Amino acid sequence: MSLNEDSEITLEQERIVLEVEPAEAESAESAEPESTEPESAEPESAPRRRTRVSRPPRGEPQEQQERAPRHGPRRRLILLSVALCCALILLAPAGRLVDDPAGLWLMFGAPVCIYFGTARRVVSTVDGAALLALGFALLHDILVLLLLDELLPMLGRDRPLELMPITLALSFAAIAVGALAPESEPLGLSLGWWRGRGYGPVALIGLVVVLTAVAGAIRLNNGFGSGVSMAAAALIVLSLLFLLFRRRYSSGAIELGIYCAAAAILLLTSMRGWLITGHDIQTEYAYFTDVFDSGRWRAGSTSNAYYACLSVTMLPVALAHLTAISDVNIFKIVEPLLFATTPVLLYRSVRNVATHMIAVLSAIFFIIFPTFSTDMTYMTRQEIAFVLTGCAVLLVTERRRGLRARRIAFAALMVGVVLSHYSTAYIVIMVCTFAVLADLVLRLWSWLRERNRRSRGSGTRVRRASRLEDDAGRGFVPWWLVIVAAAMAFLWAGPVTHTAGQVQATVSSALSQLEGGSTSGFFAPQQTDAQLLAGYKQTVVKATAADRAKSVYWPLQVVNAYQTPLIGTQYQPLTAAGRSLQSDGVNVTSANVLVRSLDDRSYELLIVLGLIGVWFAGRRLFAATRDQALLALGAGGMLVVLTIVPQLSVDYGILRAFEEGMFFTAPFLAAGLVWVCGLFRRFAQPAAAVGVALIAATMTGVVPQLTGGYLGILSMANEGLYYDIHYPTGAELTGAQWLDSYTAAQKAATGTEPVVEVDYFTYDTMQTVFTGPTLADILPQWLRPGAYVFVGATMIRTGQVSNRLNGQTITYTYPVRLLDTQYNKIYASVGAEVYGPEMNN
């Protein structure tokens, strides 16, 4: 029996009469062509045979018969390993060979094994249970660390998040849960079960892809070219297309291939730079550092919502204590490798109800969407929340387990999502709300039609078979479950952490936009960069008027004499291939922009076509459940709201919301492509592969990097906007550390610490270094005579500065002459400069 076949044959522990589809029972030694039916669905027209096994004693509940032994030798071995790891971490000499395996096993390995038996009672597939157990393990770790942080100070220990308390708490919790949680039946895997099922070729290809991606990132970090990174991106796409044509491979092998491709494309970006690199991850790292240094997370101590994300303030802290993995690599490697399971979860959830082709295509579309690799690696809090969301979506398509158990598991996972990331929870709640409303509208419409038909005396009409699979008319996500999830989010953001200010500000701005009281957004003309910068300058002048009169800031007649001309969108210079195309009359930049726009529109069009195709083609396309269709409509409603009210997309990100919505829309996106390619009949599968390859060629950045004339991509180039504003350098770090020590020494000598001014994005990358008062802007209207101005590598190299205004990044040429005239340069290196107030004042 192979790892993925446990769901396709009669489970011995159920001990009841089951009807088994012969075509679904595959032999581990033979590889038959894949059935066109989903793995958990049974074809209606296929012949059936009855397999009779002994019935349980009459009157004994079925649940009792399905309960596996709780204290078998495997469980005892796992609990002993937990105790051993606890002893090694606390007593053995510190070292990577001991700490890393012991810490990772204690945090992830042992909880996954312990919760696997529980997961088997919620989902029917073995691989699905293993993935769901990972979600339970993450939730387990978060809750244990939260309880430790809250309870231990009551006993007099002020630093609960340290090595010994964390180790003991996780160990005792694992042993306690392991003693009570049900244990699954042995899987019955034969020796060499992986042979002949595709694991060998997939593992080899996956290893090559991951190593190539890592090598590409390291070469770019060392200043070499982007050839290896581009080759890695191409190999990632080819490996995914390879899986598309391997129907005979087991689901476990396919999932291994998807995981390796996802991990490779994530590491291609996350491993860029030797320091913490990216946007949101800088703030996350700052709060992680605060909690790690203080040894405690204090609820409500700050109003910043990042601090309330336990996926940032607790999970990495525990990993840093339990293992020898550096804190930088926890954020750059460990977290992305956990996040790489999300497309695997999506594949498994779709495979429950759809064919191999649609399931693999769903995962491919999820992976190649640019947000997956270019943005998600910079948001640790959302990476963990996405894993938990993927586990929750897995429960939606499960049809062999009880509805009540799945709803309980869904609610538990939503607790983890709420604790991990606020906006991910809000998006899921919005999707579920719109799904419930869509369900209500459809049921009301059906009731009105039936009532109208009966009022005309048409008699009772025989209902035709539904195009969607329905769970006895009961939706998986009822209204009360949405209210429970919303209540949890409200309580966590409000009374518990006091971080609801951002939500309130967002809602207030959104209402203002809807009422026409905003000068930007869907209901007002889009502001240009010039308008944004001019408005920002006016705001700064008003805000500083009182202090400027006291000579805290430079006089306006001084700073207004220096202009800040805007720089438009900057594209990479054309490569040799790009220049050749340009000479042939092709506007390469316009072509790249057009093709990328068409790719974005193709996603939206294919989703619509998929919903239409499922409605008309029904189960011939794939056996979508009613809940799947409703949640896809809910995701569409969520995206419409975010588009109409731009303040929501500014605060929560329309592209990230679209990526999250793909948990629900991806199967319909894949179905849309399959339905269209069905016009090619026997060449439908190659046509789908060509379509995916064309979309992936531009979305992954390979073609734009080959031609130039487009926005630089951090994973493939040491240039471009992302590189300029999010890539920290060692020279900047050294200069920032010198300036922080210098100002600290001044404070010790004079009792007053001067203000440091630094541009917005350089401060973002160096915020953990500056410990004194800092102003994250060097716009001339913000400059102070007595401040120190820190200049980063990008401004030194290009003479340009970028800022973030109303959700838009604007870039302008900085008047360096102002600094040279009014300040004294007291520090200079290749990538950092410091101007001080010592002279010319």
Side-chain angles (χ1 to χ4, degrees), residues 312-350:
V312 171
T313 54
M314 287 199 178
L315 279 182
V317 169
L319 276 170
H321 279 298
L322 295 177
T323 68
I325 304 173
S326 68
D327 48 5
V328 172
N329 286 333
I330 288 173
F331 281 82
K332 294 173 73 72
I333 298 177
V334 177
E335 302 280 4
L337 290 179
L338 285 172
F339 177 59
T341 58
T342 52
V344 182
L345 285 159
L346 178 60
Y347 164 83
R348 180 66 266 171
S349 67
V350 178

Side-chain angles (χ1 to χ4, degrees), residues 177 197 207 377 388 402 476 581-582 693 724 753 756 765 792 812:
V177 173
R197 304 298 298 159
L207 180 63
T377 53
L388 296 168
F476 174 75
L581 290 173
Q582 194 85 9
D724 288 341
E753 189 169 10
V756 172
T765 58
Y812 58 88

Side-chain angles (χ1 to χ4, degrees), residues 66-286:
E66 294 180 351
R67 186 176 299 135
R70 290 186 173 182
H71 302 290
R74 291 177 298 120
R75 176 58 57 83
R76 290 195 291 270
L77 182 62
I78 293 171
L79 300 185
L80 285 174
S81 71
V82 171
L84 177 61
C85 288
C86 178
L88 288 174
I89 293 172
L90 295 179
L91 303 178
R96 171 149 291 174
L97 292 178
V98 174
D99 290 347
D100 287 356
L104 292 174
W105 177 257
L106 188 59
M107 282 202 68
F108 303 121
V112 167
C113 294
I114 289 171
Y115 283 104
F116 179 74
T118 303
R120 286 287 283 147
R121 279 139 188 80
V122 183
V123 294
S124 57
T125 57
V126 174
D127 48 348
L131 291 166
L132 184 60
L134 175 61
F136 288 160
L138 291 172
L139 176 62
H140 167 95
D141 290 338
I142 291 173
L143 293 178
V144 170
L145 293 171
L146 177 60
L147 289 175
L148 174 69
D149 183 80
E150 294 299 317
L151 296 179
L152 207 56
M154 298 180 184
L155 302 178
R157 188 178 183 104
D158 294 331
R159 297 175 62 89
L161 296 182
E162 290 188 329
L163 177 61
M164 182 175 291
I166 290 175
T167 305
L168 294 176
L170 290 175
S171 301
F172 290 156
I175 292 173
V177 173
L180 299 175
E183 185 178 1
S184 69
E185 285 286 345
L187 300 181
L189 301 178
S190 59
L191 187 64
W193 56 267
W194 51 272
R195 296 176 183 174
R197 304 298 298 159
Y199 287 97
V202 169
L204 179 61
I205 293 172
L207 180 63
V208 170
V209 169
V210 171
L211 291 179
T212 306
V214 172
I218 293 176
R219 281 177 57 83
L220 281 173
N221 293 344
N222 289 327
F224 294 101
S226 60
V228 176
S229 295
M230 294 171 62
L235 287 175
I236 290 167
V237 176
L238 291 175
S239 69
L240 290 170
L241 294 178
F242 171 79
L243 299 176
L244 188 64
F245 289 93
R246 289 299 178 268
R247 296 197 216 172
R248 295 184 179 183
Y249 283 2
S250 66
S251 290
I254 298 297
E255 289 164 356
L256 175 62
I258 292 172
Y259 177 81
C260 290
I265 200 170
L266 292 171
L267 293 175
L268 197 60
T269 300
S270 69
M271 292 190 66
R272 290 289 281 117
W274 303 119
L275 306 174
I276 293 293
T277 304
H279 40 82
D280 291 35
I281 195 173
Q282 302 287 351
T283 305
E284 293 175 341
Y285 184 73

